């Protein structure tokens, strides 16, 4: 996939949610909620500040992030579904290189 988001935008691939509860109940596709966790697959150059300087993003490709349920725009690239978000839409880094130990 060749894509480079502009400015402070990030492309995220949603991680698959669990299909079975801890009690063993299988959840059908129609009852599943959209996952709010995803892996970053592409990042922009950074946020353009009012003074004209470019602030690099804190997020890196490979980071696992949390985002709001209705945040961003859903796009389809090469037959795969992705979410296009701004850095401000992200809630936390949960895994990958950028997560705190």
């Amino acid at each position: 996939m060749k894509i480079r988001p502009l400015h402070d935008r990030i492309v995220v691939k949603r991680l698959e949610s669990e299909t079975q509860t801890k009690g063993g109940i299988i959840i059908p596709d129609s009852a599943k909620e959209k996952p709010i966790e995803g892996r970053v697959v592409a990042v922009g150059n950074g946020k353009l500040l009012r003074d004209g300087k470019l602030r690099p993003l804190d997020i890196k490709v490979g980071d696992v992030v949390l985002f709001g349920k209705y945040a961003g725009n859903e796009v389809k690239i090469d037959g795969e579904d992705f979410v296009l978000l701004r850095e401000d839409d992200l809630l936390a880094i949960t895994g990958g290189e950028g997560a705190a130990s």
Side-chain angles (χ1 to χ4, degrees):
M1 176 184 79
K2 286 196 146 208
I3 186 169
R4 186 178 59 90
L6 300 175
H7 306 295
D8 66 332
R9 290 183 175 83
I10 299 164
V11 179
V12 175
K13 173 91 172 140
R14 287 187 194 268
L15 296 178
E16 293 298 318
S17 60
E18 294 291 322
T19 58
Q20 190 171 356
T21 64
K22 291 180 183 175
I25 299 172
I26 297 174
I27 303 169
D29 288 339
S30 60
K32 285 185 196 175
E33 289 190 15
K34 290 182 183 177
I36 59 167
E37 188 175 31
R39 184 169 305 279
V40 176
V41 295
V43 296
N45 291 333
K47 184 171 181 117
L48 190 61
L49 303 175
R50 288 186 180 184
D51 62 2
K53 294 180 181 174
L54 192 67
R55 183 185 61 80
L57 300 179
D58 295 329
I59 307 297
K60 296 178 179 36
V61 173
D63 286 348
V64 177
V65 295
L66 292 177
F67 51 92
K69 187 184 291 189
Y70 301 107
N73 298 310
E74 296 192 15
V75 294
K76 189 171 267 201
I77 304 167
D78 295 335
E80 291 188 68
D81 292 323
F82 295 94
V83 181
L84 189 62
L85 302 158
R86 287 188 174 271
E87 185 181 33
D88 295 341
D89 293 334
L90 298 179
L91 304 174
I93 301 174
T94 61
E97 296 176 18
S101 299

